[in-house]
Coordinates of all heavy atoms in Angstrom, one line a residue:
L1 N 159.7 97.8 152.1 CA 158.9 98.9 152.7 C 157.8 99.4 151.9 O 156.7 99.7 152.4 CB 159.9 100.0 153.0 CG 161.1 99.8 154.1 CD1 162.1 100.9 154.0 CD2 160.4 99.6 155.4
E2 N 158.0 99.4 150.6 CA 157.0 99.9 149.8 C 155.7 99.0 149.6 O 154.5 99.2 149.7 CB 157.5 100.0 148.4 CG 156.5 100.6 147.2 CD 156.3 102.1 147.3 OE1 156.5 102.6 148.4 OE2 155.9 102.6 146.3
D3 N 156.2 97.7 149.7 CA 155.1 96.6 149.7 C 154.3 96.6 151.0 O 153.1 96.4 151.0 CB 155.7 95.2 149.6 CG 154.8 94.1 149.3 OD1 153.7 94.4 148.8 OD2 155.0 92.9 149.5
T4 N 155.0 96.9 152.1 CA 154.3 97.0 153.3 C 153.3 98.2 153.4 O 152.2 98.1 153.8 CB 155.3 97.1 154.6 OG1 156.2 96.0 154.6 CG2 154.6 97.3 155.9
S5 N 153.8 99.4 152.8 CA 153.0 100.5 152.6 C 151.7 100.2 151.7 O 150.6 100.7 152.1 CB 153.8 101.7 152.1 OG 154.8 102.0 152.9
V6 N 152.0 99.5 150.7 CA 150.8 99.2 149.8 C 149.9 98.3 150.5 O 148.6 98.5 150.4 CB 151.3 98.5 148.5 CG1 150.2 97.8 147.8 CG2 152.1 99.4 147.7
V7 N 150.3 97.3 151.3 CA 149.4 96.4 151.9 C 148.6 97.2 153.0 O 147.4 97.1 153.3 CB 150.2 95.3 152.7 CG1 149.3 94.5 153.6 CG2 150.8 94.3 151.7
D8 N 149.3 98.2 153.7 CA 148.6 99.0 154.9 C 147.5 99.8 154.1 O 146.5 100.0 154.7 CB 149.7 99.8 155.5 CG 150.6 99.0 156.4 OD1 150.3 97.8 156.8 OD2 151.6 99.4 156.8
M9 N 148.0 100.5 153.0 CA 147.0 101.4 152.4 C 145.8 100.7 151.9 O 144.7 101.0 151.8 CB 147.7 102.2 151.2 CG 148.7 103.2 151.8 SD 148.0 104.4 153.0 CE 147.0 105.4 151.7
A10 N 146.1 99.4 151.2 CA 145.0 98.6 150.7 C 144.1 98.2 151.8 O 142.9 98.1 151.6 CB 145.6 97.5 150.0
T11 N 144.7 97.7 152.9 CA 143.8 97.4 154.1 C 142.9 98.6 154.6 O 141.7 98.3 154.8 CB 144.7 96.9 155.2 OG1 145.5 95.8 154.9 CG2 143.8 96.4 156.4
Q12 N 143.4 99.7 154.6 CA 142.7 100.9 154.9 C 141.5 101.1 153.9 O 140.5 101.4 154.3 CB 143.6 102.1 155.0 CG 144.6 102.1 156.2 CD 145.4 103.3 156.2 OE1 145.0 104.4 155.7 NE2 146.6 103.2 156.7
G13 N 142.0 100.9 152.7 CA 140.9 101.2 151.6 C 139.8 100.2 151.6 O 138.8 100.5 151.2
E14 N 140.1 98.9 151.9 CA 139.0 98.0 152.1 C 138.0 98.3 153.1 O 136.9 98.2 153.0 CB 139.6 96.6 152.3 CG 140.4 95.9 151.2 CD 139.4 95.5 150.0 OE1 138.3 95.6 150.2 OE2 140.0 95.0 149.0
K15 N 138.6 98.8 154.3 CA 137.8 99.3 155.4 C 137.0 100.4 155.0 O 135.7 100.5 155.3 CB 138.6 99.6 156.7 CG 139.3 98.4 157.2 CD 140.2 98.9 158.5 CE 140.8 97.7 159.0 NZ 141.7 98.1 160.3
R16 N 137.6 101.4 154.3 CA 136.8 102.6 153.9 C 135.8 102.2 153.0 O 134.5 102.8 153.0 CB 137.9 103.6 153.2 CG 138.8 104.1 154.1 CD 138.4 105.2 155.1 NE 139.5 105.7 155.9 CZ 139.8 105.3 157.2 NH1 139.1 104.4 157.7 NH2 140.8 105.9 157.8
K17 N 136.1 101.3 152.0 CA 135.1 100.9 151.0 C 133.9 100.2 151.7 O 132.7 100.5 151.4 CB 135.7 99.9 150.0 CG 134.7 99.3 149.0 CD 135.4 98.3 148.1 CE 134.3 97.7 147.2 NZ 135.0 96.7 146.4
I18 N 134.0 99.3 152.8 CA 133.1 98.7 153.5 C 132.2 99.8 154.2 O 131.0 99.7 154.3 CB 133.6 97.7 154.5 CG1 134.4 96.5 153.7 CG2 132.6 97.3 155.4 CD1 135.0 95.6 154.6
Q19 N 132.9 100.7 154.8 CA 132.1 101.9 155.5 C 131.2 102.5 154.5 O 130.1 103.0 154.9 CB 133.1 102.7 156.2 CG 133.8 102.1 157.3 CD 135.0 103.1 157.9 OE1 135.1 104.2 157.2 NE2 135.5 102.7 159.0
L20 N 131.7 102.9 153.3 CA 131.0 103.5 152.3 C 129.7 102.7 152.0 O 128.6 103.3 151.7 CB 131.8 103.9 151.0 CG 132.8 105.0 151.3 CD1 133.7 105.1 150.0 CD2 132.1 106.4 151.5
Q21 N 129.9 101.4 151.7 CA 128.9 100.6 151.3 C 127.8 100.5 152.4 O 126.5 100.5 152.2 CB 129.4 99.2 151.0 CG 130.2 99.1 149.8 CD 130.9 97.8 149.6 OE1 131.1 97.1 150.5 NE2 131.2 97.4 148.3
A22 N 128.2 100.5 153.7 CA 127.3 100.4 154.7 C 126.5 101.8 154.9 O 125.4 101.7 155.0 CB 128.1 100.2 156.2
M23 N 127.2 102.8 154.6 CA 126.6 104.2 154.7 C 125.6 104.3 153.6 O 124.5 104.9 153.7 CB 127.7 105.3 154.5 CG 127.1 106.7 154.7 SD 126.5 106.9 156.5 CE 127.9 106.4 157.4
L24 N 125.9 103.8 152.3 CA 124.9 103.7 151.2 C 123.7 103.0 151.5 O 122.5 103.4 151.3 CB 125.7 103.0 150.0 CG 125.0 103.3 148.6 CD1 124.8 104.8 148.3 CD2 125.8 102.6 147.5
G25 N 123.8 101.9 152.4 CA 122.7 101.0 152.7 C 121.9 101.9 153.8 O 120.6 101.8 153.7
S26 N 122.6 102.7 154.6 CA 121.8 103.4 155.7 C 121.1 104.5 155.0 O 119.9 104.8 155.5 CB 122.8 104.1 156.8 OG 123.5 103.0 157.3
L27 N 121.5 105.1 154.0 CA 120.8 106.2 153.3 C 119.5 105.7 152.6 O 118.7 106.4 152.3 CB 121.8 106.8 152.2 CG 122.9 107.8 152.9 CD1 123.9 108.1 151.8 CD2 122.2 109.0 153.6

């Protein structure tokens, strides 16, 4: 369960990071 939670949070983090990088490019 903990491993699944880590994977889910890591997946969310990767998406958030990509969004930030895209936003940085937009600025």
Side-chain angles (χ1 to χ4, degrees):
L1 291 173
E2 182 81 334
D3 191 21
T4 300
S5 298
V6 170
V7 173
D8 290 342
M9 292 301 289
T11 302
Q12 294 179 30
E14 290 290 355
K15 292 180 180 179
R16 298 285 185 259
K17 177 182 174 182
I18 293 173
Q19 292 173 353
L20 287 173
Q21 291 172 334
M23 190 58 58
L24 193 61
S26 299
L27 289 170

